[in-house]
Amino acid sequence: MSQANKKLTKRQIRDGVASKSNKVSSKGRQNNEIKKAASEHKNATTRKNTAFEQKVDNKARIQRARKLVQRTPSQDILQRSRILKEQRVNLEKMEPVRLQKALAASGVGSRREMEQWISQGQVRVNGKVAQLGDRITPEDEVSVRGSAINIKWPDRLPRIMVYYKQEGEIVSRDDPQGRISIFDRLPQAASSRWVAIGRLDINTCGLLILTTSGELVNRFAHPSFEVEREYAVRVLGELSDEQKQNLLNGVELEDGIAKAQHLWEQGGEGANRWYNIIIKEGRNREVRRLFESQGLTVSRLVRVRFGPISLPKRLKRGQYYEFNEFEVAGIMKWAGLYQSDYARKKIDSWHKF
């Protein structure tokens, strides 16, 4: 009988002596555990890579938004658009601009974020730590968190585009869940970046405005300007006169009082009713929560107007339309934003409302 197969004596068992076969078995279990852990790590990495590849593949298959084909404008409109497109501002004559405003307009971040970074000493102007309230000109050099920033000065008209957002799309460039974003569908701006004016949740469709102007985004979306948003709302059930008055007077929501500025019925079929509602805020799911406060569930929500811009009647779901320079100039006049005194005089003379 070999040494490995010999049985242990009582004394060996008492003294804690292990057989050779037991030692080999213990070492084998350790090796198996190491191999198992390595295999699990390899499988996890494979799953992660597969998920990433699937996400990339899904993005590649996304159908691009279609451009709305409009009739050619009149020669007068075309001529005015050409003049506005060629108009440039002499940067030497440009007045100083608040630092946080210039950074936000250049796409570095929101104005609030820029104010925080300036307060934290993360922004420098000409090598010196910037302070809130500082103003800059085109001659100044600006850096944020150690990186030089190319400030985009408003020397020309911005671009404006409207898109008929569909349900199931998100208004974000980065989504861990890999859902379809409007930015996956829309064409990219060559020398700037499209910024959405306000957001629509994933289950809301309708008018979405995008622009390359940070100032215009602020003029539309900041609560202090109280720009009207109009929605078409389909609900299961019907609002009583008392409930309508409640919404017009204001109701208490989780984040404060909210109310409808205007509310009217648009008919409906069966148990469904359509209403149009106008609000002056852009709080998260505000319209849905307003109707839920009266015991009604919104089954469909469509934004049909934001400020002076309405959803074009010929614009279908998944289509976009970019404004020409003459149309952009009209929106800039409404916003009180002009790229030069010359442009202001021209726009005021052409857009007499």
Side-chain angles (χ1 to χ4, degrees):
M1 184 181 292
S2 64
Q3 183 68 24
N5 294 328
K6 285 183 178 180
K7 292 185 178 180
L8 297 178
T9 65
K10 292 182 178 180
R11 174 172 291 186
Q12 286 174 323
I13 294 174
R14 183 191 64 195
D15 295 340
V17 178
S19 68
K20 187 176 180 182
S21 60
N22 285 344
K23 291 182 180 178
V24 173
S25 176
S26 175
K27 184 178 291 187
R29 284 196 301 270
Q30 290 178 353
N31 290 338
N32 289 337
E33 290 176 358
I34 293 173
K35 289 179 180 180
K36 183 179 179 182
S39 177
E40 290 178 352
H41 176 72
K42 182 179 179 180
N43 291 338
T45 304
T46 302
R47 287 194 299 269
K48 186 176 181 181
N49 291 338
T50 302
F52 175 76
E53 291 171 359
Q54 182 67 36
K55 181 178 178 180
V56 172
D57 187 50
N58 290 340
K59 293 287 185 180
R61 294 180 183 178
I62 292 174
Q63 183 178 359
R64 294 290 180 178
R66 304 181 305 278
K67 183 177 182 180
L68 175 64
V69 179
Q70 292 277 64
R71 289 189 293 270
T72 304
S74 66
Q75 289 299 319
D76 183 44
I77 297 297
L78 289 174
Q79 177 63 21
R80 294 179 181 185
S81 296
R82 277 194 292 270
I83 293 174
L84 289 167
K85 186 175 182 179
E86 295 168 0
Q87 175 65 29
R88 296 290 184 273
V89 175
N90 185 349
L91 293 180
E92 295 179 356
K93 297 182 179 180
M94 185 168 287
E95 296 181 358
V97 178
R98 290 193 305 277
L99 178 57
Q100 62 268 31
K101 181 179 178 181
L103 288 171
S106 301
V108 181
S110 69
R111 195 174 298 192
R112 182 173 296 179
E113 287 176 328
M114 296 304 98
E115 290 175 352
Q116 291 176 351
W117 291 2
I118 293 171
S119 300
Q120 294 168 1
Q122 300 185 55
V123 181
R124 290 177 175 269
V125 177
N126 300 326
K128 297 181 180 180
V129 177
Q131 304 293 329
L132 278 176
D134 285 354
R135 293 175 177 267
I136 60 172
T137 67
E139 297 178 354
D140 293 316
E141 296 181 357
V142 181
S143 64
V144 176
R145 295 181 171 180
S147 300
I149 301 298
N150 181 24
I151 299 296
K152 296 178 181 178
W153 297 95
D155 63 337
R156 66 189 73 182
L157 282 172
R159 296 171 65 184
I160 300 175
M161 176 169 61
V162 293
Y163 173 61
Y164 196 142
K165 179 189 172 299
Q166 306 170 92
E167 292 98 338
E169 299 173 342
I170 63 170
V171 187
S172 174
R173 295 183 184 275
D174 184 26
D175 179 46
Q177 301 178 40
R179 294 172 294 183
I180 297 175
S181 166
I182 62 159
F183 296 105
D184 297 325
R185 296 195 187 278
L186 294 171
Q188 296 182 353
S191 59
S192 53
R193 188 184 189 193
W194 290 116
V195 181
I197 300 179
R199 295 194 177 192
L200 295 175
D201 65 47
I202 193 169
N203 296 318
T204 302
C205 64
L207 175 67
L208 189 67
I209 308 171
L210 300 102
T211 181
T212 57
S213 169
E215 284 187 297
L216 195 59
V217 172
N218 186 66
R219 178 63 180 82
F220 267 91
H222 198 280
S224 63
F225 292 108
E226 296 187 337
V227 178
E228 290 185 345
R229 291 106 159 137
E230 182 179 344
Y231 294 85
V233 190
R234 186 181 69 184
V235 297
L236 181 62
E238 186 174 0
L239 286 171
S240 66
D241 291 339
E242 181 181 357
Q243 289 173 320
K244 291 178 184 178
Q245 197 59 49
N246 289 340
L247 294 178
L248 291 170
N249 291 338
V251 295
E252 182 72 39
L253 301 179
E254 300 89 341
D255 50 359
I257 299 291
K259 69 175 183 177
Q261 298 297 319
H262 302 283
L263 177 66
W264 65 98
E265 189 173 348
Q266 290 283 63
E269 296 181 356
N272 292 314
R273 286 290 181 272
W274 280 95
Y275 295 91
N276 272 42
I277 184 173
I278 295 177
I279 59 176
K280 289 186 176 181
E281 295 178 299
R283 283 190 259 172
N284 184 38
R285 300 182 70 255
E286 184 173 355
V287 173
R288 295 181 187 275
R289 290 187 292 144
L290 278 169
F291 280 89
E292 286 171 1
S293 72
Q294 302 305 303
L296 297 177
T297 300
V298 174
S299 59
R300 191 172 173 204
L301 184 60
V302 186
R303 183 157 68 189
V304 296
R305 182 172 65 86
F306 195 161
I309 300 178
S310 297
L311 187 65
K313 292 182 179 180
R314 294 182 60 241
L315 193 68
K316 297 179 180 178
R317 289 169 177 249
Q319 281 189 325
Y320 71 91
Y321 169 69
E322 184 170 353
F323 286 11
N324 61 44
E325 286 76 9
F326 186 68
E327 292 169 321
V328 172
I331 299 301
M332 298 300 280
K333 178 184 178 181
W334 166 86
L337 302 172
Y338 303 93
Q339 75 272 35
S340 68
D341 289 337
Y342 172 80
R344 179 181 59 79
K345 293 177 182 178
K346 282 288 184 184
I347 292 171
D348 287 346
S349 66
W350 290 341
H351 288 272
K352 294 181 179 179
F353 301 120

